[in-house]
């Protein structure tokens, strides 16, 4: 890492197959940012333990996330691509930040409330302090930009709070990290059924995964909710129709999108045709990535090398930050 470029950090939990939301919210940005920034991208395996205590699948999932990132264009020689648990300094910083995080605000976090609702049997302290660990990941490298989807906005706001509290109490060590997306607004890729966002573990029939086979992609897209079409020209689109247009904007050509916009506005739209087109464009987008993932996954030696090399780069930056942290905190007694 050159030390001169601005620093970028982000992570993905290994809790299942990656999907179009992960790609367009996060990975697409990673791939562009690797050219111009010092980038630290990691597989957030510690975070996954907050909701997935069973670790039988963890190794395979970690390998998959690494392979999927590389297949999407991330170059392990240009960035630090590593596994969260391999950089022990993360856990140390997490501990210090926990003393600056208050129970009341953690309990109000949207993702915490969602997780409590989904799994009331396992409301553990790690889940409550999830955003603190995420802040530690980011500021461990003193990162300024954090490429993420819209769902992570609140976590970034919390990270800025911890940074400000730390800097104020002990001395200015950290910059305020900002959520980042090329093209201003953070992205939320909707699910195909119009009821939420694409997700690794929920809503699987309405989520397009980078691992989906062509016929699965076609089936999922064709099932997307539509209606009889607008009765009046230039009617505002219902959410579930806007979602289909949104998905088309991610993978289809401007010409194709323009045609269906025009058909919609003149009440001539045939949703069957639109979905067929979208399905083919999705297949063309996903299938090359899927094929590359499978090839990379077969090379376990290469993946181990990537992880080792990534952890080494990440540790250099982490160690430098922690020296400063311990010093300003007054923890250097020697
Ligand atoms: P995770 O694993 O849920 O998601 C990984 C990335 O994908 C984005 N994303 C989406 N973007 C748009 N539309 C969607 N439907 C969609 N679904 C997911 C997420 O915003 C994220 O950028 N807490 C993080 C992992 C994490 C992290 C970090 C992120 C741990 N430490 C440090 C940034 C920095 C998470 O659960 O992401």
């Amino acid at each position: 890492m050159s030390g001169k470029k601005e620093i970028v950090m982000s992570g993905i939990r290994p809790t299942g197959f990656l999907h179009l939301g992960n790609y367009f919210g996060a990975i697409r940005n990673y791939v562009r940012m690797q050219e111009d920034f010092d980038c630290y991208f990691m597989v957030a395996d510690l975070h996954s333990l907050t909701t997935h205590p069973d670790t039988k699948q963890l190794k395979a999932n970690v390998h998959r996330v690494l392979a999927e990132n590389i297949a999407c264009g991330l170059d392990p020689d240009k960035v630090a691509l590593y596994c969260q648990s391999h950089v022990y300094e993360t856990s140390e910083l997490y501990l210090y930040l926990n003393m600056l995080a208050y129970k009341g605000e953690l309990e109000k976090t949207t993702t915490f409330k969602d997780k409590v609702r989904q799994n009331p049997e396992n409301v553990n302290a790690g889940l409550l302090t999830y955003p603190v660990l995420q802040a530690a990941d980011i500021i461990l490298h003193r990162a300024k930009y954090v490429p993420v989807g819209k769902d992570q906005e609140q976590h970034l706001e919390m990270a800025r709070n911890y940074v400000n509290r730390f800097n104020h109490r002990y001395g200015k060590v950290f910059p305020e990290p900002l959520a980042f997306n090329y093209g201003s607004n953070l992205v939320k890729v909707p699910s195909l059924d119009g009821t939420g966002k694409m997700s690794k573990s929920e809503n699987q029939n309405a989520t397009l995964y980078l691992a989906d086979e062509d016929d699965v992609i076609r089936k999922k897209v064709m099932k997307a909710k539509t209606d009889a079409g607008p009765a009046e020209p230039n009617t505002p689109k219902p959410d579930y129709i806007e979602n289909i247009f949104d998905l088309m904007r991610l993978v289809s050509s401007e010409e194709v999108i323009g045609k269906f916009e025009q058909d919609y506005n003149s009440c001539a739209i045939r949703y069957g045709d639109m979905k067929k087109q979208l399905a083919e464009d999705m297949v063309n987008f996903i299938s090359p990535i899927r094929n590359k993932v499978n090839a990379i996954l077969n090379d376990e030696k290469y993946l181990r090398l990537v992880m080792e090399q990534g952890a080494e780069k990440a540790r250099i930056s982490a160690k430098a930050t922690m020296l400063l942290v311990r010093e300003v905190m007054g923890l250097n007694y020697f």
Side-chain angles (χ1 to χ4, degrees):
M1 306 273 112
S2 77
K4 283 209 188 93
K5 295 178 187 168
E6 289 183 300
I7 301 169
V8 167
M9 194 279 148
S10 196
I12 301 181
R13 277 171 308 153
T15 49
F17 293 93
L18 299 195
H19 51 77
L20 280 192
N22 300 130
Y23 181 84
F24 287 103
I27 302 173
R28 177 173 59 169
N29 288 305
Y30 300 179
V31 173
R32 261 180 85 177
M33 292 181 107
Q34 70 182 337
E35 305 300 334
D36 301 317
F37 296 88
D38 262 355
C39 295
Y40 296 86
F41 296 126
M42 57 123 203
V43 185
D45 55 343
L46 299 177
H47 273 111
S48 75
L49 298 175
T50 62
T51 49
H52 293 62
D54 183 348
T55 53
K56 275 199 264 333
Q57 290 297 318
L58 194 53
K59 182 177 171 187
N61 284 345
V62 166
H63 283 188
R64 174 163 283 279
V65 173
L66 288 170
E68 290 183 321
N69 272 283
I70 297 166
C72 289
L74 210 61
D75 180 348
D77 289 331
K78 287 189 182 154
V79 304
L81 178 58
Y82 64 100
C83 201
Q84 187 182 29
S85 64
H86 291 167
V87 181
Y88 303 152
E89 287 79 2
T90 309
S91 303
E92 183 187 352
L93 185 54
Y94 166 57
L95 180 80
Y96 301 152
L97 293 183
N98 268 322
M99 321 311 179
L100 300 170
Y102 301 107
K103 180 172 160 274
E105 64 191 3
L106 290 166
E107 280 169 343
K108 278 192 229 140
T109 314
T110 311
T111 46
F112 176 69
K113 289 195 288 193
D114 287 348
K115 295 273 151 56
V116 171
R117 219 173 296 128
Q118 284 158 12
N119 197 357
E121 302 305 308
N122 186 22
V123 183
N124 59 77
L127 194 64
L128 182 68
T129 55
Y130 182 113
V132 186
L133 180 56
Q134 181 161 345
D137 294 329
I138 298 166
I139 71 177
L140 187 63
H141 303 296
R142 285 171 277 170
K144 186 162 171 197
Y145 298 114
V146 186
V148 282
K150 179 120 186 91
D151 59 312
Q152 297 297 311
E153 211 166 23
Q154 191 181 28
H155 288 173
L156 263 292
E157 198 184 308
M158 296 172 84
R160 285 192 291 279
N161 286 339
Y162 304 141
V163 159
N164 286 325
R165 284 175 205 163
F166 184 97
N167 287 346
H168 187 248
R169 183 162 303 171
Y170 298 115
K172 190 163 175 359
V173 173
F174 302 112
E176 280 191 17
L178 297 171
F180 181 92
N181 179 52
Y182 279 105
S184 68
N185 292 335
L186 299 182
V187 173
K188 173 186 161 189
V189 177
S191 61
L192 285 161
D193 60 5
T195 64
K197 60 182 176 108
M198 290 199 181
S199 154
K200 282 191 224 105
S201 44
E202 301 144 45
N203 240 346
Q204 297 193 349
N205 287 325
T207 294
L208 292 170
Y209 295 94
L210 301 178
D212 279 345
E213 294 292 338
D214 295 352
D215 56 335
V216 174
I217 299 170
R218 291 193 183 98
K219 253 189 225 142
K220 286 183 179 174
V221 172
M222 293 314 287
K223 273 207 210 133
K225 179 176 172 183
T226 51
D227 54 27
E232 305 265 328
N234 303 313
T235 321
K237 298 184 186 89
D239 283 352
Y240 50 92
I241 297 297
E242 191 63 61
N243 282 351
I244 299 179
F245 275 94
D246 280 345
L247 290 167
M248 206 166 219
R249 282 183 204 108
L250 298 175
V251 293
S252 302
S253 70
E254 298 222 341
E255 206 185 325
V256 163
I257 300 160
K259 174 203 158 0
F260 286 105
E261 285 280 5
Q262 209 171 2
D263 287 355
Y264 181 85
N265 286 327
S266 58
C267 305
I269 191 139
R270 294 161 61 134
Y271 288 127
D273 290 350
M274 184 180 182
K275 288 196 279 188
K276 260 188 212 144
Q277 175 75 48
L278 177 62
E280 288 322 302
D281 291 340
M282 283 292 175
V283 165
N284 286 333
F285 178 79
I286 290 175
S287 63
I289 298 177
R290 183 187 65 227
N291 294 335
K292 273 190 214 152
V293 172
N294 291 337
I296 298 166
L297 277 178
N298 281 332
D299 193 350
E300 222 183 283
K301 207 168 134 207
Y302 168 69
L303 286 174
R304 253 205 317 273
L305 204 75
V306 165
M307 271 189 284
E308 274 168 26
Q309 180 187 305
E312 242 168 71
K313 290 187 211 169
R315 280 184 204 121
I316 293 173
S317 142
K319 282 188 197 316
T321 300
M322 291 316 290
L323 278 178
L324 268 177
V325 166
R326 291 182 209 114
E327 190 180 305
V328 297
M329 286 184 76
L331 296 172
N332 277 6
Y333 313 127
F334 297 110

